[in-house]
Amino acid sequence: EAGWAQAREEAEAARRELREVVRPLREPGYREALRRKAERARKRRLRLQRRKQEAKAAREEEAARAAEREAKIDQWRAKCIQEVEEKNRERELKAAADSVLSEVRKKQADTKRMVDILRALEKLRKLRKEAAGRKGVCPPPSADEAFENQVESLKTLLKNRTELYEAEERALRVMLEGEQEEERKREMEKKQKKEREKLLQQKLEIDSKLFGDPDEFPLAHLLQPFREYYLQAEHSVAALIQIRHEWDQYLVPADHPEGSCIPPGWVLPSLPTNDTWATAVR
């Protein structure tokens, strides 16, 4: 009986505890409050998950932008290094060519000086021969012949050297002119490339104003049909001919009172004149 009474008390205590646990379930509106609490918890979990996803997407986007910036910086750095290396090579080549040209000119000056010395020797021998003739001393003909042969040999050698140095100078000048022409051509290509990039950027800006940013709007955007319609001439020759035919029907002189000539490019929309229009544009 003592064991039975103890078991009964424990059972009664458990029953009371269960009644306390179950009692809120029997109250009116408890299940609705529990459902709202569970819904709030679910929304909170979804919100936290969405924030985590947004934060992850933001980190990935920032990493992509940072990688793009790094790539642009590396590209710009490589371009600068390449330009510096090209300028250094051109400077070294020009310096080497100038050095060789200076050496050739020095050789030409030495050759000219040798020619002047040879002429002075001929003049000096002539004066000495005349002075010796006035004194009654005449050199043998073999001496005159040997001197003339030696002088002619030296003249031939100096003439050959002069022609060789002149040919070297012409070749160096042609090389320098070729390098200068290449440099002018590269500068012209860089200028044309900048002009093309500028025109392309202007075209992208105009297209963005007319049809929206292509990176911002997906292909399924509501502006895509209009974009395809207005740009169909860029992808179809038949559409280009048809559009041009329709435009040609309205060709009029510039001074015509009832019309105007076709504009050379896109007609950009004017700025909004009121807040309602601005809201619609945005």
Side-chain angles (χ1 to χ4, degrees):
E1 292 181 359
W4 172 255
Q6 184 178 1
R8 184 173 179 274
E9 289 179 359
E10 291 177 356
E12 288 292 338
R15 186 176 65 174
R16 287 193 298 271
E17 185 178 357
L18 288 175
R19 283 180 179 177
E20 290 296 327
V21 172
V22 177
R23 183 177 55 79
L25 298 176
R26 296 176 179 176
E27 295 179 358
Y30 179 78
R31 281 189 286 181
E32 183 65 22
L34 187 62
R35 186 187 63 79
R36 287 197 300 269
K37 184 177 180 181
E39 184 67 18
R40 286 196 300 269
R42 186 182 66 83
K43 290 182 178 180
R44 183 171 179 274
R45 287 195 302 271
L46 292 177
R47 187 167 57 252
L48 292 176
Q49 292 178 359
R50 186 170 60 253
R51 287 180 180 177
K52 290 181 180 179
Q53 293 176 356
E54 291 176 353
K56 182 179 179 181
R59 289 193 300 270
E60 292 178 353
E61 185 177 358
E62 180 62 26
R65 285 198 297 266
E68 185 178 0
R69 287 195 299 268
E70 289 293 333
K72 289 182 178 179
I73 292 173
D74 293 340
Q75 184 179 2
W76 173 79
R77 186 185 296 114
K79 183 179 179 181
C80 292
I81 293 174
Q82 183 179 2
E83 291 178 355
V84 172
E85 290 178 352
E86 288 179 357
K87 290 182 179 179
N88 290 335
R89 284 196 299 268
E90 292 171 1
R91 191 181 299 110
E92 291 175 358
L93 181 61
K94 186 177 180 181
D98 291 340
S99 177
V100 176
L101 184 60
S102 176
E103 186 68 23
V104 170
R105 288 176 177 173
K106 182 180 179 181
K107 292 179 181 178
Q108 288 177 340
D110 293 340
T111 304
K112 185 179 180 182
R113 186 167 60 253
M114 292 178 185
V115 172
D116 295 337
I117 292 173
L118 190 59
R119 289 176 181 173
L121 287 174
E122 288 180 335
K123 186 176 181 181
L124 179 60
R125 188 177 188 281
K126 182 179 179 181
L127 293 176
R128 288 185 175 181
K129 185 178 178 181
E130 291 176 354
R134 286 193 297 267
K135 295 180 181 180
V137 179
C138 295
S142 59
D144 293 337
E145 184 178 358
F147 181 79
E148 293 294 335
N149 292 334
Q150 188 68 24
V151 168
E152 289 298 326
S153 176
L154 292 174
K155 284 183 178 180
T156 303
L157 177 62
L158 294 176
K159 182 180 179 181
N160 293 334
R161 287 189 177 182
T162 302
E163 293 176 354
L164 177 62
Y165 297 154
E166 289 178 354
E168 290 182 2
E169 183 181 6
R170 286 194 300 271
L172 288 173
R173 288 189 180 277
V174 169
M175 185 178 66
L176 290 176
E177 290 176 359
E179 289 295 327
Q180 293 175 358
E181 183 65 25
E182 290 293 332
E183 178 64 21
R184 286 193 295 268
K185 187 182 295 185
R186 284 193 293 268
E187 291 295 332
M188 182 62 67
E189 290 177 355
K190 289 180 181 179
K191 185 176 180 181
Q192 292 176 355
K193 183 179 179 181
K194 289 182 180 179
E195 290 294 332
R196 287 195 299 269
E197 291 177 353
K198 184 178 179 181
L199 292 176
L200 179 60
Q201 184 64 28
Q202 291 177 355
K203 182 179 182 300
L204 292 176
E205 291 178 358
I206 292 174
D207 291 346
S208 177
K209 291 180 181 178
L210 291 172
F211 308 112
D213 190 358
D215 297 332
E216 182 180 356
F217 298 113
L219 294 177
H221 194 267
L222 56 90
L223 291 179
Q224 184 63 24
F226 301 96
R227 185 181 183 88
E228 293 178 353
Y229 173 76
Y230 284 108
L231 298 180
Q232 59 180 331
E234 297 183 1
H235 309 285
S236 173
V237 178
L240 174 62
I241 296 174
Q242 178 64 28
I243 293 172
R244 184 55 194 252
H245 175 69
E246 294 176 357
W247 272 97
D248 290 344
Q249 294 178 355
Y250 300 96
L251 286 177
V252 294
D255 55 350
H256 197 279
E258 297 182 358
S260 60
C261 61
I262 298 177
W266 289 105
V267 179
L268 296 179
S270 58
L271 296 176
T273 57
N274 53 53
D275 296 337
T276 305
W277 184 8
T279 303
V281 172
R282 287 197 296 269

